Structures are given as structure tokens and as C-alpha cells.
Amino acid sequence: MNNVKDLQTIEETLKYLQFDNWEQSAPGLARSRELLGLLGNPEQKLKFVHIAGTNGKGSTAAMLASVLRRAGYRTGLYTSPHLLRVTERMRIDGAEMPPEELAEAVTALAEASEGMSEKCTEFELMTAAAFWWFAHRGCEYVVLEVGMGGRLDATNVIPCPDCAVIANIGLDHTGVLGDTVEQIAAEKAGIFKGGLAASYQQQPSVAAVLRAAAERTGTKLHFADFSKLEQLSDSLEGQSFRYDGREYRIRLLGEHQCKNAAVAITAARLLGLPESAISEGLAKAVWPARFELLSREPYFVVDGGHNPQCVATTAAALRRYFPDKRRVLLMGVLADKDWPQMLDILLPCAAEVVCVTPESERAMPAAELCAAISERGIPAHTAADIASGVDQAIALAGRDGMVCSVGSLYMSGAVRARLLGEEA
């Protein structure tokens, strides 16, 4: 970038980043390493908890960041994708990155990268900006969520983390990561560099891959033990459970979130964090658009489930929390996902569906989704945009029914904005 000037506005900043879909990023770590070297290697000034996985890694990251805060650490949290604003991806002690500080960070990137022979991808730039910001704002720990995969993800330029964490592994991004869960597990285990690691209780073949990677890299891997997990109470206000002899409470809904919490507890104990911080951190953790109840009369839940494994937990939660309600789905999907299987899982839960087009170039047009649902015998409607889809779904549900927005995180931000009156 020639004649670098300060990037004064979020519009200028995003134009520099050429922010689009990070899944189009070319794999490899060389560009990130070069850029971070030009920035003075801010990632080497931080301690990390590095989290990979297919489903639940964002929720697990939010829980661990909350626990670290309660333990007294100044804690950064880096996640993707965002729901409404790019700056949601970077938080310190729960506070979203101010737009002017993103501009400051990206100005530093622009100046540092002028001499690079190969241009960085959007996700590489965003990750480097996050490291720069966390280091310059004095973070002691950063909870770092992998963007995609692990081995070649831009986040994997960090040194050995204090703890690596593997969330639930399933099939997703198969065109890039492999078409079996074992291949995908091998990619995600690429974040092992020695030291400590905690994992979700995986299916045996996936666990074997993770154990082999841990042995190869000298990583001490500990699996959460779900046989020690006992749910004590469960309602729309939250859940309480006992894990390994201690009782905890979380706000996040769905049985799978108790399992994610068990993984967070396992990692927090490996880090030597006090039990009081673990308990308080879990109780205060929030994570938007993961079976998030936003309103009542009718009940309106926003869920970012976007693959068959995710929506299976959504369907289970719908039956658990709303067994007798008229359930209307507000649904949009990406065309490259396994949306036929998602429909097979979700449609038995639905009385009616309103179809929208998510805010992504990879989105399936609402009319095509509507036709596919109608062919399966469920009444379906097409909305012109997400905001009108929200209104239409609420009207179809009636005061005594419920709506669940599901199918893609790329629509969740706009749905939440309509319900909460937020602005981008």
C-alpha cells in the first residue's frame, strides 16, 4: 500500500481490508509470519488459550474468557465470524473493539506491510490487527478461536499456547479440511505444539487421531469426561449441572452447552485457575446467536446453527424448551452447506417456515430454499429481506407460538438487529 495515511473511519478501514468472506482465504502461514515480524511480533508478547473444533468453539471460548476475567486477568477474546460489526470479533474484558482503535491497528498494518511481496488475505490482516491491539492494550491472556481448521489457519502462528482446546468435531468445510471426521480432526490437531490441551469427549476414531497428534507433538491431552456430567436443572433462564463433583450454572441453553462447559472447566483446571473464578465465569458467560432467547410473546430464539451437527442440537433444544408451542422457523442457508440434511433434521420441528437469503455471496436464494421445503410437505414462504422475514415469522407464530431463526450465522446479526433495534 503506497502513501499510507491514517485510516480515520471504519469505512476506510474496511476498504483497506477489502473485507469479504474469510473462507476464501488461501491457506498457509508464511504471509502472517512475515507481517507479524514487520509489526514486531506482538503475538509473542501474549499468552494464549487456542480453540479449534467444528461446533461449540465460540461458546467454549466465551466461557473461558469469562473465567479468565474472573481470575483477575486482562483478557482478550478473538472470534469469527461477526454477527453485525467487524469489531465484534475482538474484545477485551468483554468490551468490543472501538472502531477508531481498529482503524489505528489497521493503519499500523498498512505501514508495516508496504514492503511485502505477497498481499495478505482479509482474515490474516484481521488476525494480525487483533494481535497488535491485544498487545498494545496490555492483555495478559487471549482466548483465540481458530477461523477454519487449525494447522494452516492464520491464528496458528502463535507460539505454544498455555492450553490448546478442541471442541466437538464433525463434518464441515469438507472441501478444504477433508471429507471424513478423522481428516478434519488431524487438521484441527495442528494447533498442538506441546504443553497442555483439553478436548471435548470425541467419538473413538476422532479421539485416536487427537491422541496420536498429542503424542507426536509432546502435548499432554486431557478429554472431558461426560460420564461425570449430571444435569440438575434446565429452563429458559439457564441450566445447572454437576461436573466431576462440583456444581455449576450457565446461562447458555441446550444440553450441548453443559458439555461445552465441561470442556471449559477441564481447560480452566489445567491452567490452574481457582474454582471460584470457574464457577463465577461460567455463570456470567454469554454468547449471542447460540439458541439465544431474545423475546417472548411470541418466544423468539436466534440460533446460528449452520451444519447438520449444529442443527441437530437446535432441534433437540426446540423439543426440550418448546414442546407444546407452534414452532415457526425463520431459515436461510449457504448453498455450499449440507442443507438437505439440515432440512431433514429441522423440518419435523416446524409447523411453518419463512425463508430468507443470508448476507453472504454463498447464500442460497430464499426462493430456492422455499421450493425445497415445500417439496418436503411443510408450508413455506419467501421474505424479501431478513427484517421483513422476522416480522412475517412473528405474525405466523402468533402470541402463543415461537420463532427460531436458524441456518446460518450470516443472517443472525440482521435478525438480532431487527429484534433489538441495533445498528451496524
Side-chain angles (χ1 to χ4, degrees):
M1 182 175 180
N2 296 322
N3 301 317
V4 173
K5 64 180 180 65
D6 285 348
L7 300 167
Q8 299 293 334
T9 68
I10 191 68
E11 290 79 13
E12 291 173 325
T13 303
L14 296 181
K15 184 177 180 181
Y16 174 75
L17 289 170
Q18 295 182 335
F19 195 86
D20 193 1
N21 183 0
W22 57 263
E23 288 188 333
Q24 296 172 355
S25 300
L29 302 180
R31 293 179 301 272
S32 290
R33 287 183 175 134
E34 182 181 0
L35 176 57
L36 289 167
L38 293 168
L39 285 169
N41 292 116
E43 79 285 0
Q44 295 181 11
K45 302 169 186 175
L46 301 163
K47 295 195 292 185
F48 291 96
V49 176
H50 199 189
I51 303 181
T54 307
N55 299 313
K57 62 182 185 291
S59 299
T60 306
M63 292 184 211
L64 279 168
S66 183
V67 169
L68 283 162
R69 271 183 77 188
R70 269 68 194 181
Y73 294 102
R74 184 167 173 79
T75 304
L77 175 62
Y78 181 65
T79 59
S80 61
H82 59 278
L83 299 180
L84 196 61
R85 297 174 298 276
V86 174
T87 47
E88 294 170 16
R89 296 179 176 219
M90 292 148 286
R91 298 177 183 272
I92 296 177
D93 289 343
E96 183 180 327
M97 185 186 207
E100 63 273 14
E101 295 191 15
L102 177 61
E104 181 184 0
V106 176
T107 295
L109 296 191
E111 293 171 345
S113 64
E114 279 191 282
M116 290 183 65
S117 57
E118 187 176 357
K119 183 179 178 182
C120 289
T121 66
E122 293 90 342
F123 188 66
E124 289 164 350
L125 288 170
M126 187 63 65
T127 303
F131 290 156
W132 184 92
W133 185 59
F134 291 141
H136 277 73
R137 296 298 176 265
C139 286
E140 298 167 275
Y141 263 107
V142 172
V143 179
L144 182 68
E145 182 190 359
V146 166
M148 181 171 61
R151 182 175 62 92
L152 296 177
D153 187 76
T155 63
N156 206 28
V157 295
I158 64 170
C160 180
D162 279 26
C163 188
V165 179
I166 305 293
N168 193 9
I169 291 177
L171 290 173
D172 204 6
H173 305 301
T174 52
V176 178
L177 301 180
D179 56 10
T180 69
V181 288
E182 294 79 16
Q183 290 173 324
I184 292 171
E187 287 296 313
K188 295 183 186 299
I191 69 171
F192 291 169
K193 300 183 177 75
L196 301 170
S199 174
Y200 194 94
Q201 185 176 299
Q202 311 285 350
Q203 61 179 278
S205 62
V206 169
V209 171
L210 297 180
R211 286 193 181 98
E215 184 176 355
R216 187 169 59 251
T217 57
T219 301
K220 296 179 181 178
L221 175 60
H222 301 257
F223 286 91
D225 184 353
F226 296 158
S227 71
K228 298 179 179 179
L229 179 64
E230 177 190 1
Q231 190 169 60
L232 301 176
S233 68
D234 183 17
S235 73
L236 289 171
E237 278 61 54
Q239 306 180 78
S240 63
F241 62 93
R242 183 180 291 111
Y243 181 66
D244 196 21
R246 292 181 179 269
E247 292 187 13
Y248 302 93
R249 182 165 181 81
I250 58 174
R251 298 184 189 181
L252 304 179
L253 301 180
E255 182 183 2
H256 63 291
Q257 293 294 8
C258 293
K259 294 178 178 179
N260 291 333
V263 177
I265 292 166
T266 302
R269 290 177 178 175
L270 290 175
L271 291 168
L273 301 178
E275 280 293 334
S276 59
I278 297 174
S279 179
E280 292 170 15
L282 291 179
K284 292 184 179 295
V286 294
W287 193 229
R290 277 69 175 185
F291 211 82
E292 179 188 19
L293 178 63
L294 288 182
S295 67
R296 301 172 188 249
E297 293 187 1
Y299 291 98
F300 201 116
V301 169
V302 179
D303 188 79
H306 58 277
N307 60 42
Q309 193 176 23
C310 280
V311 301
T313 65
T314 308
L318 286 170
R319 293 187 177 100
R320 174 188 293 249
Y321 296 111
F322 303 101
D324 302 319
K325 295 290 183 183
R326 171 178 166 79
R327 297 182 292 240
V328 175
L329 299 185
L330 175 64
M331 193 170 185
V333 298
L334 301 188
D336 57 1
K337 297 290 184 178
D338 188 0
W339 58 265
Q341 188 176 355
M342 291 166 63
L343 293 182
D344 291 342
I345 294 167
L346 284 169
L347 292 186
C349 297
E352 215 157 347
V353 183
V354 176
C355 301
V356 296
T357 305
E359 297 176 342
S360 169
E361 291 182 352
R362 295 154 49 221
M364 171 179 281
E368 292 183 21
L369 179 62
C370 185
I373 293 170
S374 297
E375 287 175 2
R376 286 165 166 80
I378 300 295
H381 315 271
T382 301
D385 53 41
I386 291 173
S388 61
V390 170
D391 298 342
Q392 189 174 349
I394 288 172
L396 288 170
R399 279 188 65 169
D400 295 330
M402 72 84 56
V403 178
C404 179
S405 167
V406 66
S408 175
L409 273 173
Y410 289 96
M411 62 186 271
S412 297
V415 172
R416 293 180 88 253
R418 180 65 170 181
L419 290 168
L420 302 177
E422 294 181 346
E423 295 184 4

